[in-house]
Structures are given as C-alpha cells and as structure tokens.
Amino acid sequence: MDNFEFCVGTDILFGKGQLEKLPGVMAQYGKKVLLVYGGGSIKRSGLYDRVKNALKEFEIVDLGGVEPNPRVETVRKGAALCREKNIDVLLAVGGGSTIDCAKAISAAVFYEGDAWDMVLNAAKGAIGKTLPVCTVLTIAATGSEMDGAAVISNMETKEKLTIIHPNLLPKCSVLEPENTFSVPARQTAAGSADIMSHVMEVYFGAEDTFLTDCICESVLKTVIHYAPIAIREPENYTARANLMWASSLAINGLCNAGKAHDWSCHYIEHELSAYYDITHGVGLAIVTPQWMRYVLSDKTVDKFAAFAVNVWGLDPHTEKFTLARQGIEKLEQFFRSLDIPMTLGELGIKDEHFVEMAKHAVDFTGIGSISYVPLTPEDIVKILRECL
Ligand code: NZQ
Ligand code: ZN
C-alpha cells in the first residue's frame, strides 16, 4: 500500500430536508451569494424557488445557463460578476458542470490573467486563493460535490482540461436524494457509468490494497444494483440515495487510498467531449471496455479476474484470461442494458481527429507515463478505433 493523505473537508448534509441547514453554514462566509445553475432543470423542479426561499436573508446574484461541459466563457463571466458585486460565497445548484464552473470561478476571481490561462497553468501554481463554494447536488455522477477538481472546456481550442487544488473543495454540499428524482433515464445511466468509471480508473493497479479494493468493489456493486432501479422507478428514494452517496465516495479519495492514479479512460473521454461535446458518462461507457481489452495482459490479468469474480460474481475456477474477458463483457452488457449508446458510430463520430486527439491526451496528461499501463498516441488511436 502506497503512502497517502486523506483529508476531505466538505461538510456533507445528506438526506431529506437538509437544505434548511444551508443558510446557517453559509452565513459564516458572508451575505453576498453568486447562485450558479445550469440550463433550467432546477427551475422546472421547483428547487430554484426552495433555494431562494431558504436564502432570503442573503443578497443573491444569479448566474444561470451553465452548459453541460462548462465553457471557459461562463467562468470569465462569473469571475467578472464576483468582482463587480463583491461576492462573498458561491452556491452551485446542479450537476458536475455547474459545480465545476463555480469552482473555476472561485479561483479565477483572484487570478490576474485570463481564466483559460489559469486552467492551462493550474498544475504550475496558477490556483491560489479562492472564494468559498457550497453546493446543492442534483445528479449523482461526477463526485464534484466532494472533490477538489473541476473540468473546463474551451471549444475554440478544442480542449477540455482538469484543474485540481485543495482550495477547490466545496465547503459544504447538500445531498438530498429527492433532488435527483427528476434526472432523466439517459442522464441517470450516464451518471452511473461515470461513478463506476471513477472507481475503475483507480481499482486496476498493481498495489496490495485489500481494504481499498473492497471499498471499490462495494461502490461498483451498489451502482450495478441501484442504477437499473433508479431508471425504472425514478422516485425510488433508496436507489437515488445509494447512487448519490456512491457518487461522492467514488472520487473523494477513499477509493484510491494507497493506490496510484490512472484515469486513462477519462483522459481519452475528455478528448472526445472537447471535439464532439458528448455526454461525459456516455463517452466513458464506450471507451472503458475497449481500454480494458487493450490493456489485458500477463501483467494485468489477475486484477481483471478479481474484478470478474468480486464485482460480477463469476466462477473463480474459470481460466483467468477467460474470466477476465467475461468480466469485461459483463460490464459492457451492463452499460448496454442501461440503454447507453455503446459505439462512437452511434454518436456520429468518425476517426478523422483521432491522431490529434491522442497526441493531445499524451501531451497534457500522465496517460503516457504514470498510468497503470502507459499508453502511446498510437495505442490511444487503436483503442478509439475499437470504439467505432
Ligand atoms: O443544466 P440543467 O438544466 O441543470 O440540466 C442538466 C444537464 O442538462 C441535467 N440535470 C442535472 N440535474 C438534473 C438534471 N435534469 C433534471 N433533473 C435534475 N435533477 O443533466 C444534464 C447534465 O448535467 P451535468 O452537470 O453536465 O452532468 P454531470 O454531473 O454528469 O457533469 C458532467 C461534467 O462534469 C465533469 C465532466 O467532464 C463534465 O464536464 N467531471 C467533473 C469531475 C470532477 N469535478 O471531479 C470528474 C468527472 O470525471 C467529470 O470529468
Ligand atoms: Zn468522470
């Protein structure tokens, strides 16, 4: 087991009626709130009115219209609003896109250059002071409600990049499962694939981490059990609650305690989203089984066999390569059973940009060096072709 630090300072308010506690938490940060939200789902569900009502003692400035795959333009707009209105605290009400946008705004306020410059230089110390961010989560997916990451897109340069810093961690996140009852089946499926991917990105590794692996397997089994129920019965509280907590646990550091990071599938998917603006979880569901088949080898087979037995309940007496392939097949079948399109062709994507996408992924991430199975641009092109 590798050394690790585990400190997640997000105050999680989980369950029914927890929104009521939010004003008390937010009051410690100030009175002027930038309320960040997406394309209107919170207005249709009535959550917008509930939030406004709960925060009636605060001065609220609205920033709606955050895009799925949030754009740097919206980050710039939000940072300008924070400066102009002397905002004290941000409240993101929505999914990962809204939360990520709020996080990036919270750092861009104090960054002297352009917001995209900050994103490009985040790993070189561009992120420092931030405004506090609180969240009200509306979809179980990214785990942004309990991690220090944000993913921002620049459609002009065709780039989607992750910024990571402890100061981006939300101060408080309200997790009311009922706020996810209105998530459509398509987004519930994509979010579930994303949660599973966060676990699988770190599960496959060479470290001896029995306890961490058991936690990973439990989160995976939780999603496998409850995602189909949430799709069939959108207002099933137990299913929505379990998916919501799985979303946070998958990426808050618990599932990779003592392990190296990988994130190969995410880095490949971010290229697809940057070029084709596809839904993150759908891209992951397509890429992951093909990545698995590509990296299956003498070095990795034992872990894939363990995945087949411990997550999918397959027969441990089967020959290990056969077992490993059966586990991958089970995963693919599961995603298909959630009605996720399982080829890039179904999304209208052809191979014309694969070479530049693969090169960008290697140049801008650790995919070619620190991954469990490092990938060259040629490897990535081959994986993407298998996804067609
Ligand atoms: O914009 P609105 O109208 O709110 O609608 C959203 C959006 O259309 C809708 N939605 C959300 N909650 C809903 C709802 N519709 C009805 N009822 C509700 N309760 O769902 C659509 C997708 O929302 P979005 O926020 O984009 O989804 P998600 O949470 O999957 O976020 C995806 C973004 O997060 C990034 C992804 O790359 C992508 O940009 N990620 C962030 C991570 C992080 N910060 O740690 C890690 C992830 O791996 C991921 O990369
Ligand atoms: Zn993800």
Side-chain angles (χ1 to χ4, degrees), residues 7 49 121 165 228 305 309:
C7 175
D49 290 337
N121 292 294
H165 195 281
V309 173

PDB file of all heavy atoms in Angstrom, residues 7 49 121 165 228 305 309:
ATOM      1  N   CYS A   7      -7.880  13.762   3.656  1.00  0.00           N
ATOM      2  CA  CYS A   7      -8.494  14.843   4.424  1.00  0.00           C
ATOM      3  C   CYS A   7      -9.515  15.499   3.515  1.00  0.00           C
ATOM      4  O   CYS A   7      -9.158  16.155   2.546  1.00  0.00           O
ATOM      5  CB  CYS A   7      -7.424  15.842   4.850  1.00  0.00           C
ATOM      6  SG  CYS A   7      -8.124  17.272   5.675  1.00  0.00           S
ATOM      7  N   ASP A  49     -36.766  27.782  -6.461  1.00  0.00           N
ATOM      8  CA  ASP A  49     -37.597  28.551  -5.516  1.00  0.00           C
ATOM      9  C   ASP A  49     -37.289  28.155  -4.068  1.00  0.00           C
ATOM     10  O   ASP A  49     -37.245  29.013  -3.184  1.00  0.00           O
ATOM     11  CB  ASP A  49     -39.091  28.320  -5.806  1.00  0.00           C
ATOM     12  CG  ASP A  49     -39.493  28.971  -7.124  1.00  0.00           C
ATOM     13  OD1 ASP A  49     -38.796  29.917  -7.553  1.00  0.00           O
ATOM     14  OD2 ASP A  49     -40.486  28.519  -7.728  1.00  0.00           O
ATOM     15  N   ASN A 121      -2.408  26.694 -16.685  1.00  0.00           N
ATOM     16  CA  ASN A 121      -1.271  26.732 -15.748  1.00  0.00           C
ATOM     17  C   ASN A 121      -1.636  26.268 -14.338  1.00  0.00           C
ATOM     18  O   ASN A 121      -0.890  26.521 -13.386  1.00  0.00           O
ATOM     19  CB  ASN A 121      -0.694  28.151 -15.703  1.00  0.00           C
ATOM     20  CG  ASN A 121      -0.030  28.496 -17.023  1.00  0.00           C
ATOM     21  OD1 ASN A 121       0.972  27.898 -17.385  1.00  0.00           O
ATOM     22  ND2 ASN A 121      -0.623  29.415 -17.766  1.00  0.00           N
ATOM     23  N   HIS A 165      -7.057  21.349  -7.072  1.00  0.00           N
ATOM     24  CA  HIS A 165      -6.406  22.085  -5.977  1.00  0.00           C
ATOM     25  C   HIS A 165      -7.257  21.908  -4.717  1.00  0.00           C
ATOM     26  O   HIS A 165      -8.490  21.945  -4.802  1.00  0.00           O
ATOM     27  CB  HIS A 165      -6.292  23.579  -6.335  1.00  0.00           C
ATOM     28  CG  HIS A 165      -5.346  24.319  -5.445  1.00  0.00           C
ATOM     29  ND1 HIS A 165      -5.686  24.739  -4.181  1.00  0.00           N
ATOM     30  CD2 HIS A 165      -4.056  24.693  -5.632  1.00  0.00           C
ATOM     31  CE1 HIS A 165      -4.646  25.349  -3.626  1.00  0.00           C
ATOM     32  NE2 HIS A 165      -3.641  25.336  -4.488  1.00  0.00           N
ATOM     33  N   PRO A 228     -30.248   0.385 -12.367  1.00  0.00           N
ATOM     34  CA  PRO A 228     -31.446  -0.061 -13.103  1.00  0.00           C
ATOM     35  C   PRO A 228     -32.740   0.271 -12.351  1.00  0.00           C
ATOM     36  O   PRO A 228     -33.758   0.602 -12.969  1.00  0.00           O
ATOM     37  CB  PRO A 228     -31.264  -1.584 -13.203  1.00  0.00           C
ATOM     38  CG  PRO A 228     -29.806  -1.829 -12.980  1.00  0.00           C
ATOM     39  CD  PRO A 228     -29.339  -0.736 -12.066  1.00  0.00           C
ATOM     40  N   ALA A 305      -9.323 -10.548 -13.443  1.00  0.00           N
ATOM     41  CA  ALA A 305     -10.008 -11.763 -12.984  1.00  0.00           C
ATOM     42  C   ALA A 305     -10.694 -11.494 -11.636  1.00  0.00           C
ATOM     43  O   ALA A 305     -11.839 -11.922 -11.404  1.00  0.00           O
ATOM     44  CB  ALA A 305      -9.013 -12.913 -12.872  1.00  0.00           C
ATOM     45  N   VAL A 309     -14.737 -11.802 -10.608  1.00  0.00           N
ATOM     46  CA  VAL A 309     -15.254 -12.625  -9.503  1.00  0.00           C
ATOM     47  C   VAL A 309     -15.931 -11.752  -8.449  1.00  0.00           C
ATOM     48  O   VAL A 309     -17.075 -11.989  -8.048  1.00  0.00           O
ATOM     49  CB  VAL A 309     -14.101 -13.439  -8.856  1.00  0.00           C
ATOM     50  CG1 VAL A 309     -14.581 -14.166  -7.601  1.00  0.00           C
ATOM     51  CG2 VAL A 309     -13.524 -14.424  -9.866  1.00  0.00           C
TER      52      VAL A 309
END
